[in-house]
Amino acid sequence: MKNIYCILLFTAFILNACYDDKGNYNYKDINEIEISFEDDAFYTKTFGEVLELKPTFNIDLSQNPDRYTYLWKLNDETREGWDQPTFKWKIDEVVQHGNISLEVTDKQTGVVYMERVTLEVVGVYENRCSWMILSDVGGKSQLSYFNTLEYDENADTIIASRLILDVYGIANNGAELGSGPIALQEHFREKIEWSENIVGNICVFQESGAVDLSGVSFEKEIDMVEAFDGGVYPKEGIVLHPGTFMDWVDVVTDQEGQLYSRLKVTSTVYNSDYFLHTPLCCEGESEPLRNCTVIHGYYRSNRTGYNFIYDGENKRLLYVTNGGTNWDSELLGAGRISKLPACGENDDINAIIPLDNMKGYELLKATMFGFGYPNYGVALLLKEEATDKIFLERVKFKGSGGNPTIVEICKDEVMGLPGIPTVSTMPLSGPEYMFFAVGKDVYYMDFNNTQNPVVLYKSFNANIVAMNAESATYYGAHMAVGLENGEFYVLFIYGAKNLSEEEKVLYPKNGMAYPEEERMGRIVDIQYKQLDHWNY
């Protein structure tokens, strides 16, 4: 018993000594460092802006500056000068799904503390709710860019915006774009990785020769003649016009409406391989097609696998199929163009204009709408030659993999227009209205009340020469209007029939008082900048 008592007494002495000695160890030297940032953990910036991050710490590290080191990283890579407590960077690259991390190392303990924020950097010309404007300034082509910098979604008001004239000259060291502007077309490549964002290239069609530009910077990539076999056009005097840029097959037209195609080896590279010199024929026919218009719309390979063509020579609707390695060898290198039937199985042939025979009608405008069945199709604006009556025929399709099936055709007379419309447009997604320009005035047709006459929406002080509704798949609430005198407007069109006069014009902010310095010659074409979408 005495031995046990001695052991307990000794243990108590040792414990008491340890307790009394607690101050001999500097526990304050291994306090954990907590890093935080004043603003949100997600930052969206534009190429060329300055990003500045000032972290805050739970303890004052400046009291012992030699003890700590700092290391900033962008997606696990650092740069010279990124070793200061404050991060400052003039952004010189586009960043998708990026992270900016700060590592603070305590040299005394060897412990590394880290915190990160998420960063996305878009190009100068990648902002949402933006349009590209092609105009004629004394015969020369000029490309300009409008974008919304800040938008109040509750009030549907543009708070801040930017209009940049001659973005091509800015991006290409003052070089001239060309002359005789015709049209713009944005086109895309496929993604390499699912998470990748693709900004579409911009093809500018003009009398002096089509050119293809980077959609990120508007820098010139190639003259489109270089995309033809041998670097030359099939014959002298060809002027390219828009077509369709699909994943595997691209088709362009010339001024005579003949069609030329290329089958690409890879769908993840812009302008790979070459257009063939042989103009395309329809399947089962030997004569090349002429007077054709590729219907400008929304191509999405995972929904359709085809695009539509109006054959003006034979007044019928055709479709061109997207290619791929599963094609037969005799089809390699050429777009496959096929006929459509007159109508769908459930359509009354006497109540519609047959798609395989539209003789007696002049096509004024054709556009694709929707982005997937049951809201996908082609709208044909047609003038009856014998009466000058205007009809709108909406053709709904389903089917993918290059096999369209007609679901329904709706034909309506467009009543109440004071003349033949020179320009028309409609939103891509779930359109409720179609808009028409006659002279200086914009009218709309309400798809929910197609038996009613059109309604005057807005009047301007010069003739309207271009209109383009927003083609974002999720909204479609805005429409850009270009005038013959070089003025550019953005209108709000969602719920058009319920809007007051004051709600309609979003840009310029002061309504109809247009800034003289922002006129851009004679506007020729306007296209919504689609950004990260499939081919358009």
Side-chain angles (χ1 to χ4, degrees):
M1 180 67 71
K2 184 177 180 180
N3 290 336
I4 294 175
Y5 176 79
C6 291
I7 292 171
L8 290 173
L9 185 62
F10 179 77
T11 302
F13 173 80
I14 293 297
L15 290 173
N16 184 63
C18 292
Y19 179 80
D20 290 341
D21 194 38
K22 66 180 182 179
N24 294 339
Y25 301 94
N26 189 3
Y27 289 101
K28 292 182 180 180
D29 285 345
I30 56 173
N31 280 343
E32 290 204 5
I33 298 172
E34 296 177 3
I35 307 170
S36 59
F37 296 90
E38 294 179 2
D39 298 322
D40 296 334
F42 182 81
Y43 294 82
T44 301
K45 291 290 184 180
T46 301
F47 184 95
E49 287 185 329
V50 175
L51 174 64
E52 189 168 359
L53 300 176
K54 296 181 179 180
T56 57
F57 307 98
N58 60 322
I59 58 177
D60 189 358
L61 303 188
S62 65
Q63 296 296 319
N64 195 354
D66 295 332
R67 176 171 173 173
Y68 303 100
T69 62
Y70 306 86
L71 183 64
W72 296 87
K73 292 181 179 180
L74 169 62
N75 289 341
D76 298 324
E77 293 185 2
T78 189
R79 297 189 183 188
E80 183 179 354
W82 287 8
D83 56 358
Q84 302 299 314
T86 298
F87 180 78
K88 191 172 184 179
W89 175 39
K90 185 173 182 181
I91 300 172
D92 58 5
E93 66 176 277
V94 173
V95 178
Q96 300 169 359
H97 313 295
N99 291 302
I100 296 285
S101 61
L102 170 61
E103 296 178 3
V104 178
T105 301
D106 184 340
K107 293 191 292 184
Q108 184 168 316
T109 64
V111 178
V112 179
Y113 303 91
M114 189 189 76
E115 186 57 86
R116 67 177 60 186
V117 297
T118 302
L119 173 67
E120 181 175 346
V121 178
V122 299
V124 176
Y125 310 114
E126 294 181 48
N127 307 81
R128 297 287 177 184
C129 197
S130 60
W131 277 269
M132 300 168 292
I133 307 130
L134 182 64
S135 60
D136 186 314
V137 181
K140 295 182 179 180
S141 303
Q142 177 178 279
L143 182 61
S144 302
Y145 175 76
F146 171 88
N147 73 288
T148 300
L149 299 174
E150 187 176 356
Y151 191 87
D152 185 342
E153 294 187 0
N154 294 321
D156 285 312
T157 303
I158 295 176
I159 298 173
S161 62
R162 174 180 56 184
L163 177 64
I164 305 176
L165 303 181
D166 191 20
V167 290
Y168 180 85
I170 294 171
N172 293 273
N173 300 316
E176 292 185 354
L177 177 57
S179 60
I182 297 171
L184 298 170
Q185 187 166 18
E186 187 176 18
H187 63 103
F188 293 79
R189 63 173 176 83
E190 277 196 310
K191 299 181 178 183
I192 298 174
E193 298 177 353
W194 178 252
S195 60
E196 185 180 16
N197 290 328
I198 304 297
V199 178
N201 266 24
I202 313 302
C203 196
V204 183
F205 296 91
Q206 49 190 353
E207 297 285 344
S208 62
V211 295
D212 205 40
L213 316 178
S214 162
V216 175
S217 66
F218 285 118
E219 292 179 311
K220 179 179 174 180
E221 293 200 346
I222 65 166
D223 291 300
M224 286 301 290
V225 66
E226 300 172 37
F228 277 77
D229 192 13
V232 295
Y233 287 132
K235 55 186 177 182
E236 289 187 10
I238 277 186
V239 177
L240 292 187
H241 287 245
T244 179
F245 294 81
M246 297 185 283
D247 295 327
W248 293 99
V249 168
D250 295 340
V251 176
V252 291
T253 59
D254 64 14
Q255 71 272 32
E256 297 178 352
Q258 290 196 308
L259 304 166
Y260 301 91
S261 72
R262 67 176 169 190
L263 180 77
K264 294 179 283 189
V265 171
T266 174
S267 59
T268 58
V269 177
Y270 288 115
N271 296 306
S272 64
D273 299 280
Y274 300 100
F275 286 92
L276 300 181
H277 283 192
T278 304
L280 296 178
C281 304
C282 186
E283 262 190 316
E285 300 175 0
S286 58
E287 286 297 315
L289 292 163
R290 299 177 64 87
N291 196 21
C292 289
T293 302
V294 182
I295 297 177
H296 199 159
Y298 187 75
Y299 173 76
R300 201 172 202 176
S301 65
N302 64 339
R303 299 292 180 92
T304 58
Y306 47 85
N307 207 347
F308 298 98
I309 295 172
Y310 176 71
D311 173 8
E313 190 86 356
N314 300 291
K315 298 211 169 181
R316 58 184 176 172
L317 197 63
L318 310 172
Y319 68 96
V320 57
T321 307
N322 189 29
T325 54
N326 59 330
W327 276 20
D328 296 332
S329 58
E330 63 267 20
L331 293 172
L332 292 176
R336 180 173 59 190
I337 297 179
S338 306
K339 303 172 187 177
L340 282 165
C343 58
E345 293 181 357
N346 300 318
D347 291 316
D348 180 358
I349 191 76
N350 297 310
I352 55 98
I353 303 169
L355 302 182
D356 64 344
N357 184 5
M358 292 184 245
K359 291 180 180 177
Y361 293 86
E362 177 189 349
L363 180 70
L364 301 177
K365 173 74 174 183
T367 183
M368 293 171 65
F369 62 85
F371 53 95
Y373 176 77
N375 189 32
Y376 178 81
V378 171
L380 304 170
L381 190 65
L382 298 152
K383 180 174 73 72
E384 189 174 37
E385 293 170 347
T387 64
D388 280 349
K389 290 182 178 180
I390 307 297
F391 293 93
L392 177 64
E393 186 158 273
R394 287 171 288 162
V395 188
K396 290 187 178 181
F397 291 93
K398 68 176 181 179
S400 60
N403 297 301
T405 300
I406 300 170
V407 176
E408 179 186 20
I409 298 179
C410 301
K411 175 191 171 188
D412 297 290
E413 183 179 355
V414 182
M415 299 178 292
L417 286 173
I420 306 300
T422 53
V423 187
S424 61
T425 189
M426 63 194 300
L428 167 69
S429 176
E432 294 185 288
Y433 306 96
M434 188 166 191
F435 294 85
F436 312 93
V438 180
K440 301 177 182 180
D441 302 320
V442 177
Y443 299 83
Y444 70 81
M445 179 181 187
D446 185 351
F447 289 160
N448 294 314
N449 298 283
T450 55
Q451 302 307 309
N452 294 342
V454 298
V455 177
L456 177 65
Y457 191 67
K458 194 68 187 175
S459 296
F460 294 89
N461 58 6
N463 286 337
I464 300 162
V465 291
M467 292 196 308
N468 182 247
E470 180 181 40
S471 52
T473 58
Y474 55 87
Y475 203 21
H478 308 97
M479 180 173 73
V481 176
L483 307 186
E484 194 173 37
N485 64 0
E487 295 181 1
F488 171 83
Y489 295 87
V490 176
L491 306 185
F492 190 71
I493 58 173
Y494 185 78
K497 63 184 178 182
N498 300 316
L499 297 178
S500 66
E501 195 67 19
E502 293 72 25
E503 295 175 294
K504 294 177 182 177
V505 179
L506 300 183
Y507 177 85
K509 290 183 67 174
N510 56 353
M512 305 300 286
Y514 199 84
E516 188 67 30
E517 66 275 10
E518 292 188 358
R519 294 180 191 268
M520 52 192 85
R522 179 179 61 85
I523 293 177
V524 174
D525 191 23
I526 299 171
Q527 292 296 326
Y528 183 77
K529 202 166 191 301
Q530 192 79 13
L531 300 181
D532 185 22
H533 289 275
W534 291 87
N535 291 7
Y536 178 72

Coordinates of all heavy atoms in Angstrom, one line a residue, residues 219-274:
E219 N -10.4 40.3 -84.5 CA -9.2 40.3 -85.4 C -9.5 39.4 -86.6 O -10.2 38.4 -86.5 CB -8.0 39.7 -84.6 CG -7.5 40.7 -83.5 CD -6.3 40.1 -82.8 OE1 -6.4 38.9 -82.3 OE2 -5.3 40.8 -82.6
K220 N -8.9 39.8 -87.7 CA -9.1 39.0 -88.9 C -8.4 37.6 -88.9 O -7.2 37.6 -88.5 CB -8.6 39.8 -90.1 CG -8.8 39.0 -91.5 CD -8.3 39.9 -92.6 CE -8.3 39.2 -93.9 NZ -7.8 40.1 -95.0
E221 N -9.1 36.6 -89.2 CA -8.5 35.2 -89.2 C -8.1 34.8 -90.7 O -7.0 34.5 -90.9 CB -9.4 34.2 -88.5 CG -9.5 34.5 -87.0 CD -10.0 33.3 -86.3 OE1 -10.4 32.3 -86.9 OE2 -9.9 33.3 -85.0
I222 N -9.1 34.9 -91.6 CA -8.8 34.5 -93.0 C -9.7 35.3 -93.9 O -10.8 35.7 -93.5 CB -8.9 33.0 -93.3 CG1 -10.4 32.6 -93.1 CG2 -8.0 32.2 -92.4 CD1 -10.7 31.2 -93.7
D223 N -9.2 35.5 -95.1 CA -10.1 35.8 -96.2 C -10.8 34.5 -96.7 O -10.2 33.5 -96.8 CB -9.3 36.4 -97.4 CG -8.7 37.8 -97.1 OD1 -9.5 38.7 -96.8 OD2 -7.5 37.9 -97.2
M224 N -12.1 34.6 -96.9 CA -12.9 33.3 -97.1 C -12.5 32.7 -98.4 O -12.7 31.5 -98.6 CB -14.4 33.6 -97.1 CG -14.9 33.9 -95.7 SD -14.6 32.5 -94.6 CE -15.7 31.2 -95.3
V225 N -11.8 33.4 -99.4 CA -11.4 32.8 -100.6 C -10.3 31.7 -100.2 O -10.2 30.7 -100.9 CB -10.8 33.8 -101.6 CG1 -9.5 34.5 -101.0 CG2 -10.5 33.2 -102.9
E226 N -9.6 31.9 -99.1 CA -8.6 30.9 -98.7 C -9.2 29.6 -98.2 O -8.6 28.6 -98.2 CB -7.8 31.5 -97.6 CG -7.0 32.8 -97.9 CD -6.3 33.4 -96.7 OE1 -5.9 32.6 -95.8 OE2 -6.3 34.6 -96.5
A227 N -10.5 29.7 -98.0 CA -11.2 28.5 -97.5 C -11.7 27.6 -98.7 O -12.3 26.6 -98.5 CB -12.4 28.8 -96.6
F228 N -11.5 28.1 -99.9 CA -11.8 27.3 -101.1 C -10.6 26.5 -101.6 O -9.5 26.9 -101.4 CB -12.3 28.2 -102.2 CG -13.8 28.6 -102.1 CD1 -14.2 29.5 -101.2 CD2 -14.7 27.9 -102.9 CE1 -15.5 29.8 -101.0 CE2 -16.1 28.2 -102.7 CZ -16.5 29.2 -101.8
D229 N -10.9 25.4 -102.2 CA -9.9 24.5 -102.7 C -8.9 25.3 -103.6 O -9.3 25.9 -104.6 CB -10.5 23.3 -103.5 CG -9.5 22.2 -103.8 OD1 -8.4 22.2 -103.1 OD2 -9.8 21.3 -104.6
G230 N -7.6 25.2 -103.3 CA -6.6 25.9 -104.0 C -6.5 27.4 -103.7 O -5.7 28.1 -104.3
G231 N -7.3 27.9 -102.8 CA -7.2 29.3 -102.4 C -7.8 30.2 -103.5 O -7.6 31.4 -103.5
V232 N -8.7 29.6 -104.3 CA -9.3 30.5 -105.4 C -10.8 30.1 -105.4 O -11.2 28.9 -105.1 CB -8.7 30.3 -106.8 CG1 -7.2 30.8 -106.8 CG2 -8.7 28.8 -107.2
Y233 N -11.6 31.0 -105.9 CA -13.0 30.7 -106.1 C -13.2 29.8 -107.3 O -12.4 29.8 -108.2 CB -13.8 32.0 -106.3 CG -14.0 32.8 -105.0 CD1 -13.7 34.2 -105.0 CD2 -14.4 32.2 -103.8 CE1 -13.9 34.9 -103.8 CE2 -14.5 32.9 -102.6 CZ -14.3 34.3 -102.6 OH -14.4 35.0 -101.5
P234 N -14.4 29.2 -107.4 CA -14.6 28.3 -108.6 C -14.6 29.0 -109.9 O -14.3 28.5 -111.0 CB -16.0 27.8 -108.3 CG -16.2 27.9 -106.9 CD -15.4 29.1 -106.4
K235 N -14.9 30.3 -109.9 CA -14.9 31.1 -111.2 C -14.7 32.6 -110.8 O -14.9 33.0 -109.6 CB -16.1 31.0 -112.0 CG -17.4 31.3 -111.2 CD -18.6 30.9 -112.1 CE -19.9 31.2 -111.3 NZ -21.1 30.8 -112.1
E236 N -14.3 33.4 -111.7 CA -14.0 34.8 -111.5 C -15.3 35.5 -111.2 O -16.4 35.2 -111.7 CB -13.3 35.5 -112.7 CG -11.9 35.0 -112.9 CD -11.2 35.8 -114.0 OE1 -11.8 36.8 -114.4 OE2 -10.1 35.4 -114.4
G237 N -15.2 36.6 -110.3 CA -16.3 37.4 -110.1 C -17.3 36.9 -109.0 O -18.3 37.5 -108.8
I238 N -16.9 35.8 -108.3 CA -17.8 35.3 -107.3 C -17.8 36.3 -106.1 O -16.8 36.7 -105.6 CB -17.4 33.9 -106.9 CG1 -18.0 32.9 -107.9 CG2 -17.9 33.6 -105.5 CD1 -17.8 31.4 -107.5
V239 N -19.0 36.5 -105.6 CA -19.2 37.3 -104.3 C -20.0 36.4 -103.4 O -21.1 35.9 -103.7 CB -20.0 38.6 -104.6 CG1 -20.2 39.3 -103.2 CG2 -19.2 39.5 -105.5
L240 N -19.4 36.0 -102.3 CA -20.0 35.1 -101.3 C -21.1 35.8 -100.5 O -21.0 37.0 -100.2 CB -19.0 34.6 -100.3 CG -17.9 33.6 -100.9 CD1 -17.1 33.0 -99.8 CD2 -18.6 32.5 -101.7
H241 N -22.2 35.0 -100.2 CA -23.3 35.5 -99.4 C -23.5 34.4 -98.3 O -23.0 33.3 -98.4 CB -24.6 35.6 -100.3 CG -24.6 36.8 -101.2 ND1 -25.5 37.8 -101.0 CD2 -23.8 37.1 -102.2 CE1 -25.2 38.7 -102.0 NE2 -24.2 38.3 -102.7
P242 N -24.3 34.8 -97.3 CA -24.4 33.8 -96.1 C -25.0 32.5 -96.5 O -25.6 32.3 -97.5 CB -25.3 34.6 -95.2 CG -25.2 36.0 -95.5 CD -24.9 36.0 -97.0
G243 N -24.7 31.5 -95.6 CA -25.2 30.2 -95.8 C -25.5 29.6 -94.4 O -26.1 30.2 -93.6
T244 N -25.0 28.4 -94.2 CA -25.1 27.7 -92.9 C -23.8 27.1 -92.5 O -23.1 26.5 -93.4 CB -26.2 26.7 -92.9 OG1 -26.3 26.1 -91.6 CG2 -26.0 25.6 -93.9
F245 N -23.4 27.3 -91.3 CA -22.1 26.7 -90.8 C -22.6 25.6 -89.7 O -22.9 26.0 -88.6 CB -21.2 27.7 -90.1 CG -20.7 28.7 -91.1 CD1 -21.4 29.8 -91.5 CD2 -19.4 28.6 -91.6 CE1 -20.9 30.7 -92.4 CE2 -18.9 29.5 -92.5 CZ -19.6 30.6 -92.9
M246 N -22.6 24.4 -90.1 CA -23.0 23.3 -89.2 C -21.7 22.7 -88.6 O -20.6 23.2 -88.8 CB -23.8 22.3 -90.0 CG -25.2 22.9 -90.5 SD -26.3 21.7 -91.3 CE -25.6 21.5 -92.9
D247 N -21.9 21.6 -87.9 CA -20.7 21.0 -87.3 C -19.7 20.4 -88.3 O -18.5 20.7 -88.2 CB -21.2 19.9 -86.3 CG -22.0 20.4 -85.2 OD1 -21.7 21.5 -84.7 OD2 -22.9 19.6 -84.7
W248 N -20.3 19.7 -89.2 CA -19.4 19.0 -90.2 C -19.5 19.6 -91.6 O -18.5 19.5 -92.4 CB -19.7 17.5 -90.2 CG -19.4 16.8 -88.9 CD1 -20.2 16.5 -87.9 CD2 -18.1 16.4 -88.5 NE1 -19.6 15.9 -86.9 CE2 -18.2 15.8 -87.2 CE3 -16.8 16.5 -89.0 CZ2 -17.2 15.3 -86.5 CZ3 -15.7 15.9 -88.3 CH2 -15.9 15.4 -87.0
V249 N -20.6 20.1 -92.0 CA -20.8 20.6 -93.3 C -21.1 22.1 -93.3 O -22.0 22.5 -92.5 CB -21.9 19.9 -94.0 CG1 -22.3 20.6 -95.3 CG2 -21.5 18.5 -94.4
D250 N -20.4 22.9 -94.0 CA -20.6 24.3 -94.2 C -21.1 24.5 -95.6 O -20.6 23.9 -96.6 CB -19.4 25.2 -93.9 CG -18.9 25.1 -92.5 OD1 -19.7 24.7 -91.6 OD2 -17.7 25.4 -92.3
V251 N -22.1 25.4 -95.8 CA -22.6 25.8 -97.1 C -22.7 27.3 -97.2 O -23.2 27.9 -96.3 CB -24.0 25.1 -97.4 CG1 -24.5 25.6 -98.7 CG2 -23.9 23.6 -97.3
V252 N -22.1 27.8 -98.3 CA -22.3 29.3 -98.6 C -22.9 29.4 -100.0 O -22.9 28.5 -100.8 CB -20.9 30.0 -98.6 CG1 -20.4 30.1 -97.1 CG2 -19.9 29.3 -99.5
T253 N -23.4 30.6 -100.3 CA -24.0 30.9 -101.6 C -23.2 32.0 -102.3 O -22.4 32.6 -101.6 CB -25.4 31.4 -101.4 OG1 -25.4 32.6 -100.6 CG2 -26.3 30.3 -100.8
D254 N -23.4 32.1 -103.6 CA -22.8 33.2 -104.3 C -23.9 34.1 -104.8 O -25.1 33.9 -104.4 CB -21.9 32.7 -105.5 CG -22.7 32.0 -106.6 OD1 -24.0 32.1 -106.6 OD2 -22.1 31.3 -107.4
Q255 N -23.5 35.2 -105.5 CA -24.5 36.2 -105.9 C -25.6 35.6 -106.8 O -26.6 36.3 -107.0 CB -23.8 37.4 -106.5 CG -23.2 37.2 -107.9 CD -21.8 36.7 -107.9 OE1 -21.4 35.9 -106.9 NE2 -21.0 37.1 -108.8
E256 N -25.3 34.5 -107.4 CA -26.3 33.9 -108.3 C -27.2 32.8 -107.5 O -28.0 32.2 -108.1 CB -25.7 33.2 -109.5 CG -24.9 34.2 -110.4 CD -24.2 33.5 -111.5 OE1 -24.2 32.2 -111.5 OE2 -23.7 34.2 -112.4
G257 N -26.9 32.7 -106.2 CA -27.7 31.7 -105.5 C -27.2 30.3 -105.6 O -28.0 29.4 -105.3
Q258 N -26.0 30.1 -106.2 CA -25.5 28.7 -106.2 C -24.9 28.4 -104.9 O -24.4 29.2 -104.2 CB -24.5 28.6 -107.4 CG -25.1 28.7 -108.8 CD -24.2 28.1 -109.8 OE1 -23.0 28.6 -109.9 NE2 -24.7 27.2 -110.7
L259 N -24.8 27.1 -104.6 CA -24.4 26.6 -103.3 C -23.1 25.8 -103.4 O -22.9 25.0 -104.3 CB -25.4 25.7 -102.7 CG -26.9 26.2 -102.6 CD1 -27.9 25.1 -102.4 CD2 -27.0 27.3 -101.5
Y260 N -22.2 26.1 -102.4 CA -20.9 25.4 -102.3 C -20.7 24.9 -100.9 O -21.0 25.6 -100.0 CB -19.7 26.4 -102.7 CG -19.9 26.9 -104.1 CD1 -20.5 28.2 -104.3 CD2 -19.3 26.3 -105.2 CE1 -20.7 28.7 -105.6 CE2 -19.5 26.8 -106.5 CZ -20.1 28.0 -106.7 OH -20.3 28.5 -108.0
S261 N -20.1 23.7 -100.8 CA -20.0 23.1 -99.5 C -18.6 22.6 -99.2 O -17.8 22.4 -100.1 CB -21.0 22.0 -99.3 OG -20.6 20.9 -100.1
R262 N -18.4 22.4 -97.9 CA -17.2 21.7 -97.5 C -17.5 20.8 -96.3 O -18.4 21.1 -95.5 CB -16.1 22.7 -97.0 CG -16.4 23.5 -95.7 CD -15.3 24.3 -95.3 NE -15.7 25.3 -94.2 CZ -14.9 26.3 -93.8 NH1 -13.7 26.4 -94.3 NH2 -15.3 27.1 -92.8
L263 N -16.9 19.6 -96.3 CA -17.0 18.7 -95.2 C -15.7 18.7 -94.4 O -14.6 18.5 -95.0 CB -17.2 17.2 -95.8 CG -17.4 16.2 -94.7 CD1 -18.8 16.2 -94.0 CD2 -17.1 14.8 -95.2
K264 N -15.8 19.0 -93.2 CA -14.6 19.2 -92.3 C -14.2 17.9 -91.7 O -14.9 17.1 -91.3 CB -14.9 20.3 -91.3 CG -15.2 21.7 -91.8 CD -15.6 22.7 -90.7 CE -17.0 22.5 -90.2 NZ -17.4 23.6 -89.3
V265 N -12.8 17.8 -91.6 CA -12.3 16.7 -91.0 C -12.5 16.7 -89.5 O -12.7 15.7 -88.8 CB -10.7 16.6 -91.3 CG1 -10.1 15.5 -90.4 CG2 -10.5 16.3 -92.7
T266 N -12.5 17.9 -88.9 CA -12.7 18.1 -87.5 C -13.8 19.2 -87.3 O -13.7 20.2 -88.0 CB -11.5 18.4 -86.7 OG1 -11.8 18.7 -85.4 CG2 -10.7 19.6 -87.3
S267 N -14.7 19.0 -86.4 CA -15.7 20.0 -86.1 C -15.3 20.9 -84.9 O -16.1 21.8 -84.6 CB -17.0 19.3 -85.7 OG -16.8 18.5 -84.6
T268 N -14.1 20.8 -84.4 CA -13.6 21.6 -83.3 C -12.7 22.7 -83.7 O -12.1 23.4 -82.9 CB -12.9 20.7 -82.2 OG1 -11.8 20.1 -82.8 CG2 -13.9 19.7 -81.6
V269 N -12.5 22.9 -85.0 CA -11.6 23.9 -85.5 C -12.4 24.8 -86.6 O -13.1 24.2 -87.4 CB -10.4 23.3 -86.2 CG1 -9.5 24.4 -86.8 CG2 -9.6 22.5 -85.2
Y270 N -12.3 26.1 -86.5 CA -12.9 27.0 -87.5 C -12.2 26.8 -88.8 O -10.9 26.7 -88.8 CB -12.8 28.4 -87.0 CG -13.8 28.8 -85.9 CD1 -13.2 29.2 -84.7 CD2 -15.1 28.7 -86.0 CE1 -14.1 29.5 -83.6 CE2 -16.0 29.1 -85.0 CZ -15.5 29.4 -83.8 OH -16.3 29.8 -82.8
N271 N -12.9 26.8 -89.9 CA -12.4 26.9 -91.2 C -11.3 25.8 -91.5 O -10.3 26.0 -92.2 CB -11.7 28.3 -91.5 CG -12.8 29.4 -91.4 OD1 -13.8 29.3 -92.1 ND2 -12.5 30.4 -90.6
S272 N -11.6 24.6 -91.0 CA -10.7 23.5 -91.4 C -11.2 22.9 -92.8 O -12.4 23.0 -93.1 CB -10.8 22.4 -90.4 OG -12.1 21.8 -90.3
D273 N -10.3 22.5 -93.6 CA -10.5 21.9 -94.9 C -11.1 23.0 -95.9 O -11.1 24.2 -95.5 CB -11.5 20.7 -94.8 CG -10.8 19.6 -94.0 OD1 -10.0 18.9 -94.5 OD2 -11.1 19.5 -92.8
Y274 N -11.6 22.6 -97.0 CA -11.9 23.5 -98.1 C -13.2 23.3 -98.7 O -13.7 22.2 -98.8 CB -10.8 23.3 -99.2 CG -9.4 23.6 -98.7 CD1 -8.5 22.6 -98.4 CD2 -9.0 24.9 -98.5 CE1 -7.3 22.8 -97.9 CE2 -7.7 25.2 -98.0 CZ -6.8 24.2 -97.7 OH -5.6 24.4 -97.2

